[in-house]
Amino acid sequence: MSNYHIKHLEEYYQVYRKSVRNPENFWEEIAEEHFVWRKRWDKVLSWDFSKPEVKWYEGAQLNITENCIDRHLRTRGTKTAILFEPNDPSEEAEHISYQQLYARVNQFANVLKEQGIQKGDRVCIYLPMIPELAISTLACARVGAIHSVVFAGFSATALSTRINDSDCKMVITSDGSYRGPKTIDLKGIVDEALEDCSCVATVLVAKRIHTDINMKDGRDQWLQPLLDNASTECEPEIMNAEDPLFILYTSGSTGKPKGMVHTTAGYMVYTAFTFKNAFQYRENDVYWCTADIGWITGHSYIVYGPLANGATSVMFEGVPNYPDWGRFWEIVEKHKITQFYTAPTAIRALAKENLDFVEKYDLSSLKVLGSVGEPINDEAWHWYDGNIGKKKSPIIDTWWQTETGGIMISPIPYATPTKPTYATLPFPGIQPTLMDENGQEIKGNQVDGRLCIKFPWPSMARTIWGNHERYRDTYFTAYKNMYFTGDGALRDEVGYYRITGRVDDVIIVSGHNLGTAPIEDSINEHQAVAESAIVGFPHDIKGNALYGYVILKETGESRNPDNLRKEINQIITEHIGPIAKLDKIQFTSGLPKTRSGKIMRRILRKIASNDTNNLGDTSTLLNPEVVQEIMDNVL
Ligand code: PRX
């Protein structure tokens, strides 16, 4: 990849043009350098978006862990691969070298094998941000098992839905987790989830908070004694390029969560390439991404991308405000962080606090600041730039998705001039375009439209687990021969992109994707609720917050509204998790509907956002009178 460490704008354009003129050559050259292939590919790319079918590096054989660990041993054996910073700052940080990572991943892989896990089996990982999370993920990849990491903030119901959807044989969890001053009973959540999961034969339990927990005979096993008895050598399973590496669930606008399937070779090449260029990674850098490995950002840019480059990747167990709001900056100073990658919601929360929390610490090691997960507003951008980067570290506003596997649109730091709130230019190999509502491509600059991608890239998801039709319908039917992202975007006079937000019924709250339908389904389970509709409204820290319009059954009308609100949020917490709780709940006698019975969310969104000067066309409404009632009672 040394050919492609882009250092200035002209070089970016040269590489970009090359990548578009001849994508196969471009991606072949990148794959040829620096990776270990057990067998070379026969064909770089075959694709057909109408099926859709995409194959990269077909015929190649490899194991991604050999690329992320083994090949660094000779030159970087003692270098820190994973730097674990615990929740409690008085607990010592743990430096796991590449040599130690090799031993620990192999031990874990041998445990998986002993427990009957084979190539292609699905393993659910439900762990806090402790080293075992990265290690178990890599151990699955070592033996060819497909990992499905579920963010440990999801509820038992959300966990069991995901376990059942991909028929996981095993769950890896811990006795509990720390979250700032609190502890969370993770094992209790797993026990509850597994009441509904007959597919799970084994639960491996890591010890983290050392509390008494229930261990079910014949199913649950403590992890550590098994690891202690396992060999530190484990031959990697040889995988085909297109064998699935992992499943990761993301919310859709309707129905159950979508298990996005990522495959091995293309994902590896793309995450390695983008990590190196998006963060301008250099050998002795200490890179920190604050995401959780339960999200795609953690998969691609805590685990696979950094380790494929032999980097030092920091894993932080805690939260930004424990013991106080200076924790992030204390960590930056302590470990001399060079690249820092976080979400706008965190930046906004930090910006609200006293600047003393920032100014107490030496942040001069920082070279690149990243942002991901939602649009970054102007104010947050400038706060980040001025107070954290001291106007010296470029901000890379990286746009991408669980489905894209890696960063798609982003400045290349020190090469692309940044522009606040703009994700700027596509990565080499990425061909974005804007489409209008009639399916026409919008040419030229200073335009806005729906963001699509015209050509495949190596790390795109290949399917939705168990539902290829849904994959096609969601991403490939809106516009012929294009991948539709679900986002709207602007393109400015120089061709920079600015992502404006979702154009479907997905709402991004604190950087988390939430589909409206599953939340509405849970609310409707309350016995006093007849119907509900959820929309997003602007929130100064979360980006968006959730506003619920709820129609009560007769039985609910006499109840205390505040108690009902609490119960509704309790149901949402049980079904999905606390991240999906509603900020505001308005009870109403009706919802604005079209004659075909569709809820007009556009109107509800405007009312919730206090933007009622122009409600747009309401002529197709079946019940226009309800709009006034809702406006009169808005919260
Ligand atoms: O709407 C876009 C928003 O997050 C969505 C993808 O969410 P998820 O699959 O959870 O992945 C998040 C981490 C990659 C996108 O469709 N999004 C992500 N990054 C940005 C963004 N919106 C604006 N600017 C970004 N930089």
Side-chain angles (χ1 to χ4, degrees):
M1 276 177 289
S2 48
N3 290 347
Y4 291 112
H5 209 162
I6 297 162
K7 292 179 210 67
H8 49 82
L9 191 61
E10 200 34 54
E11 192 184 352
Y12 160 80
Y13 279 117
Q14 273 168 15
V15 174
Y16 186 78
R17 280 193 292 269
K18 186 170 167 184
S19 77
V20 173
R21 257 198 319 268
N22 197 335
E24 276 97 334
N25 272 9
F26 177 76
W27 290 114
E28 176 153 60
E29 234 181 274
I30 291 176
E32 271 165 352
E33 283 191 63
H34 290 284
F35 295 104
V36 179
W37 300 96
R38 290 295 186 108
K39 178 178 169 288
R40 197 186 155 89
W41 50 91
D42 305 315
K43 193 163 185 226
V44 179
L45 169 66
S46 53
W47 66 292
D48 177 351
F49 274 177
S50 70
K51 286 186 177 165
E53 190 177 85
V54 173
K55 291 182 180 160
W56 283 93
Y57 307 113
E58 223 181 328
Q61 292 190 323
L62 72 157
N63 185 289
I64 195 167
T65 66
E66 204 169 20
N67 283 278
C68 288
I69 307 172
D70 307 33
R71 81 182 150 116
H72 303 308
L73 294 181
R74 201 173 48 81
T75 51
R76 302 186 179 102
T78 56
K79 178 178 175 177
T80 302
I82 291 175
L83 201 174
F84 172 63
E85 172 67 30
N87 177 63
D88 179 350
S90 65
E91 189 182 329
E92 223 168 287
E94 189 182 347
H95 292 252
I96 302 170
S97 68
Y98 274 93
Q99 190 66 56
Q100 289 163 332
L101 186 65
Y102 173 83
R104 288 176 69 173
V105 167
N106 282 342
Q107 281 177 313
F108 210 127
N110 283 323
V111 169
L112 293 177
K113 286 211 250 185
E114 273 163 30
Q115 299 296 323
I117 296 298
Q118 296 175 348
K119 179 176 177 174
D121 286 344
R122 274 80 58 206
V123 173
C124 173
I125 303 176
Y126 187 72
L127 278 171
M129 281 285 284
I130 55 176
E132 285 79 359
L133 173 51
I135 291 167
S136 58
T137 301
L138 291 160
C140 287
R142 187 86 176 171
V143 303
I146 302 170
H147 55 77
S148 167
V149 182
V150 176
F151 172 60
F154 276 119
S155 69
T157 314
L159 176 61
S160 67
T161 308
R162 287 159 176 76
I163 291 172
N164 284 329
D165 183 73
S166 47
D167 228 352
C168 295
K169 256 185 152 168
M170 175 188 271
V171 176
I172 302 169
T173 189
S174 64
D175 54 353
S177 65
Y178 293 116
R179 193 177 159 76
K182 290 190 278 195
T183 55
I184 295 165
D185 173 21
L186 280 197
K187 178 61 167 52
I189 298 173
V190 170
D191 287 343
E192 195 188 327
L194 293 190
E195 283 171 17
D196 298 325
C197 303
S198 55
C199 48
V200 174
T202 313
V203 179
L204 301 182
V205 187
K207 261 201 178 123
R208 177 58 183 145
I209 64 169
H210 300 268
T211 46
D212 268 349
I213 54 161
N214 175 43
M215 293 289 279
K216 186 171 170 187
D217 260 1
R219 186 193 72 185
D220 302 350
Q221 303 200 56
W222 288 108
L223 179 62
Q224 198 55 49
L226 299 175
L227 289 173
D228 291 342
N229 286 322
S231 157
T232 55
E233 295 296 330
C234 175
E235 271 302 300
E237 188 73 34
I238 303 308
M239 307 299 284
N240 292 324
E242 284 295 338
D243 281 340
L245 173 64
F246 65 85
I247 300 168
L248 185 60
Y249 286 88
T250 188
S251 307
S253 45
T254 56
K256 58 180 184 177
K258 299 172 289 192
M260 304 313 305
V261 177
H262 283 282
T263 58
T264 308
Y267 177 82
M268 172 183 79
V269 170
Y270 194 78
T271 52
F273 172 73
T274 48
F275 174 76
K276 185 166 182 171
N277 282 286
F279 296 100
Q280 286 291 330
Y281 169 72
R282 294 282 185 288
E283 184 61 38
N284 293 315
D285 288 346
V286 181
Y287 160 89
W288 178 23
C289 166
T290 69
D292 193 291
I293 294 176
W295 309 114
I296 191 70
T297 307
H299 280 61
S300 302
Y301 300 109
I302 295 178
V303 182
Y304 290 112
L307 298 181
N309 281 278
T312 298
S313 181
V314 174
M315 249 185 106
F316 175 46
E317 184 185 27
V319 291
N321 60 348
Y322 178 77
D324 64 39
W325 284 99
R327 187 69 195 277
F328 273 9
W329 319 126
E330 183 214 332
I331 296 173
V332 168
E333 176 182 288
K334 177 173 166 193
H335 298 302
K336 299 198 171 42
I337 303 294
T338 43
Q339 290 94 347
F340 177 72
Y341 193 26
T342 196
T345 186
I347 299 167
R348 287 189 294 261
L350 291 156
K352 275 212 165 337
E353 302 304 320
N354 198 312
L355 261 188
D356 291 351
F357 286 122
V358 178
E359 286 165 356
K360 247 169 66 189
Y361 299 101
D362 176 7
L363 307 183
S364 60
S365 55
L366 289 171
K367 296 192 294 190
V368 176
L369 301 178
S371 171
V372 61
E374 55 184 315
I376 177 166
N377 50 309
D378 207 54
E379 203 183 336
W381 197 99
H382 285 289
W383 185 87
Y384 201 24
D385 185 43
N387 295 301
I388 307 306
K390 319 287 181 199
K391 300 202 177 199
K392 288 196 317 264
S393 302
I395 294 179
I396 54 162
D397 175 3
T398 63
W399 173 82
W400 57 296
Q401 309 177 294
T402 304
E403 295 85 338
T404 70
I407 294 171
M408 302 287 280
I409 303 184
S410 164
I412 308 264
Y414 300 99
T416 316
T418 57
K419 177 173 177 181
T421 76
Y422 280 74
T424 77
L425 297 169
F427 243 79
I430 303 306
Q431 301 188 33
T433 189
L434 297 178
M435 303 296 290
D436 69 20
E437 286 182 29
N438 305 318
Q440 297 302 312
E441 198 168 348
I442 307 171
K443 299 280 185 193
N445 292 347
Q446 289 191 307
V447 289
D448 68 292
R450 289 161 183 234
L451 182 64
C452 291
I453 315 289
K454 293 204 272 193
F455 195 85
W457 64 99
S459 66
M460 63 190 293
R462 303 295 196 258
T463 190
I464 290 174
W465 184 263
N467 199 344
H468 196 64
E469 206 176 312
R470 186 174 181 200
Y471 176 66
R472 188 185 58 221
D473 292 347
T474 311
Y475 304 105
F476 296 92
T477 51
Y479 303 101
K480 198 163 182 270
N481 264 325
M482 307 242 174
Y483 167 81
F484 174 45
T485 64
D487 283 324
L490 304 172
R491 193 166 51 219
D492 78 357
E493 64 288 352
V494 296
Y496 276 15
Y497 286 88
R498 175 190 185 177
I499 314 306
T500 48
R502 302 290 311 180
V503 294
D504 56 10
D505 289 330
V506 170
I507 305 172
I508 304 195
V509 179
S510 300
H512 301 313
N513 268 8
L514 298 171
T516 50
I519 304 177
E520 289 162 4
D521 290 347
S522 10
I523 299 174
N524 298 349
E525 293 215 355
H526 191 293
Q527 79 256 24
V529 171
E531 198 182 353
S532 60
I534 304 296
V535 296
F537 69 100
H539 184 280
D540 60 356
I541 291 182
K542 301 182 191 180
N544 296 296
L546 300 177
Y547 195 115
Y549 296 93
V550 175
I551 305 178
L552 292 174
K553 291 180 187 159
E554 246 175 57
T555 49
E557 281 170 359
S558 55
R559 301 258 332 259
N560 174 317
D562 282 336
N563 287 347
L564 279 173
R565 289 190 176 99
K566 277 195 203 120
E567 290 168 20
I568 287 172
N569 269 332
Q570 184 54 33
I571 289 202
I572 295 173
T573 305
E574 281 161 19
H575 282 239
I576 300 164
I579 51 178
K581 282 205 284 197
L582 310 183
D583 270 38
K584 294 185 183 176
I585 300 176
Q586 176 176 352
F587 298 108
T588 173
S589 70
L591 293 166
K593 289 195 178 165
T594 61
R595 282 170 219 289
S596 56
K598 233 179 137 227
I599 298 171
M600 267 226 195
R601 287 169 199 279
R602 177 171 56 76
I603 293 178
L604 294 175
R605 260 195 297 270
K606 286 202 163 214
I607 298 175
S609 312
N610 245 324
D611 173 22
T612 47
N613 285 340
N614 176 12
L615 284 182
D617 181 11
T618 52
S619 62
T620 55
L621 275 185
L622 185 66
N623 50 350
E625 69 290 348
V626 82
V627 174
Q628 194 57 47
E629 180 207 315
I630 293 177
M631 283 194 339
D632 290 344
N633 297 305
V634 69
L635 298 173

